[in-house]
Amino acid sequence: MNVDFPGLGTLVNVGTIVVGSLLGMAVGHRLPQRTHAVVTDILGLVTLLVAALSAVAVTDAAFVSATGSGAPVLIVLGSLLIGGITGSLLRIEDRLEGLAGTIQGWLARRSGGRRTSHRPVLIDTSETGQDPAARERFIEGWLTASLLFCVGPLAILGSLSDGLGRGIDQLLLKSVLDGFAALAFASSFGVGVLLSAVSVGVVQGLVTLAGVLLGSVLPDAHIAALTATGGLMLVGIGLRLLHLKQIPVGDLLPALVVAPLLTQLVIVLR
């Protein structure tokens, strides 16, 4: 029985965040740093594998037939160049990172430096409406985790792939990453991190829906161009996880819009 339906990847992602948060509130602070490092390296290697499987869409029969034998690679190259230059000029990567910093700074100012200890804290939800410090930790944990889980390129790439019917491999990979991240965050911020699962469900659900709608109107060649371009972006994420090269993948996000448009232009001019 086929249970692969649009949104399944996001449901799995939400589940791993919930499980990771619960484990983090219980035992997360006891895991050694070297364990987190090994897991991150393994996930970086698997990301490169998923990237290769996506990038091979450049040889898709419908893509080659619609654009010509030599055009697919040039379309992917052009999409990344145009998208990367656009994203760099718009400073998308810096703005995403700055957004998290701004919110954290705002929360720090509101807290007025009340926290003096960084030891792991478990938050009793019954206190969040009465204890200002507990409420602050709750909000900070929720916002920080939500930003981390929702604004990354893998969230957009994986959700689009899910909606387009290209599988949930990318979101499964993201689910493992988010599960361990939730474990680490929840060991410090407590139950607020658990609420970020709702944010992920809403944001990725909407992007998946956009993928479903695009899949109903975009020809196979355009989808293959988008998939291959996204595959190379995943290579960038893998290199970052392995600490080999800090590629600003956020700046490349406009390439996902450029790829189908450039494919259509080549088809028209051919």
Side-chain angles (χ1 to χ4, degrees), residues 44-66:
L45 293 173
V46 175
T47 299
L48 292 179
L49 175 61
V50 175
L53 294 175
S54 297
V56 78
V58 76
T59 63
D60 183 84
F63 194 12
V64 174
S65 176

Side-chain angles (χ1 to χ4, degrees), residues 30-108:
R30 300 176 184 174
L31 292 178
Q33 181 60 36
R34 63 178 179 274
T35 301
H36 292 287
V38 169
V39 170
T40 300
D41 289 343
I42 292 171
L43 292 174
L45 293 173
V46 175
T47 299
L48 292 179
L49 175 61
V50 175
L53 294 175
S54 297
V56 78
V58 76
T59 63
D60 183 84
F63 194 12
V64 174
S65 176
T67 61
S69 59
V73 173
L74 295 178
I75 289 174
V76 172
L77 172 61
S79 299
L80 289 172
L81 285 174
I82 297 173
I85 292 172
T86 302
S88 178
L89 292 175
L90 294 175
R91 298 174 58 210
I92 294 177
E93 179 92 354
D94 291 342
R95 292 179 191 277
L96 291 177
E97 294 178 355
L99 178 60
T102 298
I103 292 177
Q104 288 178 334
W106 175 74
L107 289 171

Side-chain angles (χ1 to χ4, degrees), residues 137-206:
R137 288 193 297 272
F138 180 92
I139 295 173
E140 186 170 352
W142 170 51
L143 290 176
T144 302
S146 294
L147 285 170
L148 175 67
F149 300 151
C150 293
V151 304
L154 197 55
I156 297 174
L157 290 172
S159 299
L160 275 177
S161 179
D162 186 6
L164 290 170
R166 292 297 176 112
I168 62 172
D169 293 347
Q170 296 173 18
L171 283 184
L172 290 179
L173 175 64
K174 179 179 181 292
S175 297
V176 178
L177 284 166
D178 290 354
F180 279 97
L183 189 152
F185 273 104
S187 67
S188 296
F189 294 114
V191 74
V193 179
L194 190 62
L195 187 62
S196 68
V198 177
S199 304
V200 169
V202 172
V203 173
Q204 290 186 185
L206 291 175

Side-chain angles (χ1 to χ4, degrees), residues 17 29 93 97 105 107 110 120 164 185 187 201 207 221 226 229 242 244 246:
I17 291 173
H29 59 283
E93 179 92 354
E97 294 178 355
L107 289 171
R110 288 197 59 187
L164 290 170
F185 273 104
S187 67
V207 177
L226 191 153
T229 302
L242 293 170
L244 296 177
Q246 291 299 311

